[in-house]
Amino acid sequence: DETETDSEREEEKKSSDKEKDDMDNLASGEESIHDEDHKLCLKQASLLLTSMNAGVVVGVASLFYNLAPHDELLKVAKPLVRIQRNKKSIQYIVLANIATIAAKKPIIFRPYWKEFFVHPTDPLYVKELKLDILSNVATEMTISTILKEFQVYTRDPDKEFVSKTIQAIGRCAQLMPSIAERCMRLLMQLVTSPTEGVVAQAVVIIRQLLQNHRGLHVGLVKQ
């Protein structure tokens, strides 16, 4: 019967659309938990976020990152920031986890953005992670301070760190087009650096920005 066939097709389409919506919600972190065992797992695991054992906290954070909806994932931010600040021996591991989460869910760590400012005694691999995190969690409200901080970093005697900072400035411009011109002006200052590697990195990032914001920056470069 043709009517029955059309009805079946309509049901199949509705089912397919629902599956797609469910997947979209899952990917965006907007899903809700209906399974009681799932809820209980997250509830019990959250109690361990106050543990003094950094490995336990990182493990719980990993669990929440993979299984928790957005509102539950918010719970891991403060404990992770606490242990990265107080447990220098595993700071890199903690920051790596924070960077992974911040890349997809930057809003979670935005209240703690100042915690990721670079310290002179930080090793380069820690500095790189902090630059990455700062680039991702920056907002219209915080970007001015972050760029001023980056400008300080560009005067660091470690030229490799300076190059990483230049890349971070470029990432900020890509993620926040509204501040691209400000980033470009900062990068243009570095073109006069006496260090060849710094100049080369600045030119690379400037070229990338021009390719993505050609109309905005033509006048700036001609100046």
Side-chain angles (χ1 to χ4, degrees), residues 169-177 179-180 183 205 208-209 212-213:
I169 294 170
R171 283 197 301 274
C172 286
Q174 297 292 3
L175 292 170
M176 301 177 64
I179 56 99
C183 293
I205 302 301
Q208 291 175 355
L209 292 181
N212 290 289
H213 308 277

Side-chain angles (χ1 to χ4, degrees), residues 26-184:
L26 182 65
S28 64
E30 296 173 354
E31 76 283 4
S32 58
I33 300 175
H34 301 292
D35 184 85
E36 291 301 320
D37 289 338
H38 191 173
K39 289 181 180 178
L40 181 61
C41 173
L42 294 176
K43 181 179 179 181
Q44 295 301 314
S46 67
L47 300 176
L48 298 173
L49 289 171
T50 58
S51 173
M52 296 304 293
N53 186 313
V56 170
V57 175
V58 171
V60 173
S62 179
L63 173 72
F64 271 62
Y65 177 65
N66 288 287
L67 297 181
H70 176 77
D71 60 332
E72 290 287 324
L73 187 57
L74 291 169
K75 295 178 180 179
V76 309
K78 189 173 183 179
L80 285 175
V81 170
R82 169 177 57 84
I83 61 174
Q84 78 84 22
R85 183 175 60 237
N86 298 331
K87 303 284 187 180
K88 297 298 183 182
S89 59
I90 64 163
Q91 187 180 33
Y92 175 80
I93 296 173
V94 179
L95 283 171
N97 278 269
I98 291 174
T100 298
I101 298 173
K104 291 189 175 181
K105 305 279 188 177
I107 192 173
I108 292 171
F109 293 101
R110 281 176 177 161
Y112 308 99
W113 58 283
K114 287 186 178 181
E115 296 286 346
F116 305 111
F117 282 179
V118 169
H119 300 291
T121 56
D122 287 338
L124 181 61
Y125 54 83
V126 166
K127 291 177 179 178
E128 287 183 39
L129 284 171
K130 287 184 174 182
L131 289 172
D132 188 38
I133 295 167
L134 283 169
S135 300
N136 282 313
V137 304
T139 66
E140 295 285 350
M141 296 290 291
T142 62
I143 189 61
S144 291
T145 305
I146 289 175
L147 284 180
K148 287 178 182 177
E149 189 74 7
F150 284 176
Q151 188 169 17
V152 173
Y153 300 163
T154 62
R155 296 193 286 269
D156 193 274
D158 183 345
K159 299 312 174 186
E160 187 173 356
F161 173 50
V162 173
S163 293
K164 297 296 182 182
T165 301
I166 293 171
Q167 293 173 24
I169 294 170
R171 283 197 301 274
C172 286
Q174 297 292 3
L175 292 170
M176 301 177 64
S178 62
I179 56 99
E181 183 170 334
R182 205 181 321 172
C183 293
M184 177 68 85

